[in-house]
Amino acid sequence: MVDGYDFGRHSRVLCVGDGSATYSISLCRRHPKLNVTVANLPEPPVVAGMEVRRAGLAGRITVLSQDFFATLPSGHDLVLVPSILQGWNSRQNRALLASCLAALPPGGTVAVAELVPDDERGAPLTAALLGMAMTVHTEHGGSHREGEIRRWLEELGFAGVRTTWLAAPGANVLLVATKPRDTSADLSPS
C-alpha cells in the first residue's frame, strides 16, 4: 500500500484505526520527514504504543484513543484510513469519512486503503473471505466494493476521487480524494 501513493509529499498524517500502528511505522520508515498520529477507538492503545516504541519512532508517531465516528483531531494534511471499513456498515463508514472530511483543512487529502471484492463479491478470494469473516464475526461488518466507497466520498463532499489498484496483500485498492478549498460543502453523514 505504501507504494500506491506518494505519502512523502505530506508532513502530518492522521492514521485512523491503525490498531498496532503497522501502517504508520511503515510510512515513517519510508518517509523520514513524516509525522503521524494514530487514532484508535477508545480502547487502551497499548499495542500501538508498544509497537511505536519498539520501532524507535515515539518522537514521530503519537497514539490517541479517539471515537473516530464522532470527531478526529485536526492539524493533519492527510488522513489515511487503512483497511478498516470492512469492520463497519455503510452508515458507520459514512460517519467515519465525514469525520475525516471535518478534520482536514481545505485542500487536505484522504486516502482510503481497502481489500475489496469485485462487483459479484467473489474475487479476489482473500477479499471474499474477509467479507464473509467480517459478516460473521462483527456486529456490523461486511465487504464494500470500490464503487460504494467512491460514492460515499463523493456524496460527503470530497473532490477528485482517484482509484489506484494495488498488489498489496492487505489492500487491493487505494482511493484518494481532496477536501475542496470551498468549505461550504455539507459535512453531515446523512
Side-chain angles (χ1 to χ4, degrees), residues 28-190:
C28 283
R29 285 182 174 156
R30 176 79 57 95
H31 304 285
K33 295 182 180 178
L34 205 58
N35 289 294
V36 178
T37 302
V38 176
N40 283 332
L41 284 174
E43 296 136 9
V46 176
V47 174
M50 184 178 66
E51 292 300 324
V52 166
R53 285 188 299 281
R54 184 179 299 160
L57 292 167
R60 293 179 47 214
I61 300 175
T62 304
V63 180
L64 301 176
S65 181
Q66 187 84 35
D67 179 1
F68 48 67
F69 294 110
T71 185
L72 287 169
S74 60
H76 303 86
D77 58 337
L78 171 69
V79 176
L80 174 61
V81 182
S83 301
I84 64 167
L85 297 184
Q86 70 268 11
W88 314 104
N89 64 32
S90 296
R91 182 188 52 76
Q92 292 167 310
N93 285 327
R94 288 177 58 82
L96 187 156
L97 294 171
S99 292
C100 294
L101 183 65
L104 283 167
T109 303
V110 66
V112 179
E114 281 296 324
L115 183 60
V116 300
D118 62 17
D119 286 337
E120 287 77 40
R121 296 184 189 234
L125 181 59
T126 52
L129 292 173
L130 178 62
M132 223 169 35
M134 289 304 203
T135 300
V136 171
H137 296 292
T138 65
E139 186 176 346
H140 303 288
S143 59
H144 304 288
R145 295 180 312 277
E146 179 271 342
E148 287 178 279
I149 300 167
R150 170 182 288 279
R151 188 179 72 247
W152 297 334
L153 291 167
E154 291 170 344
E155 289 174 355
L156 287 167
F158 282 102
V161 181
R162 299 170 309 283
T163 299
T164 302
W165 293 96
L166 309 170
N172 64 350
V173 70
L174 181 69
L175 291 96
V176 177
T178 305
K179 180 175 181 173
R181 294 197 184 276
D182 173 10
T183 58
S184 64
D186 178 20
L187 301 181
S188 63
S190 303

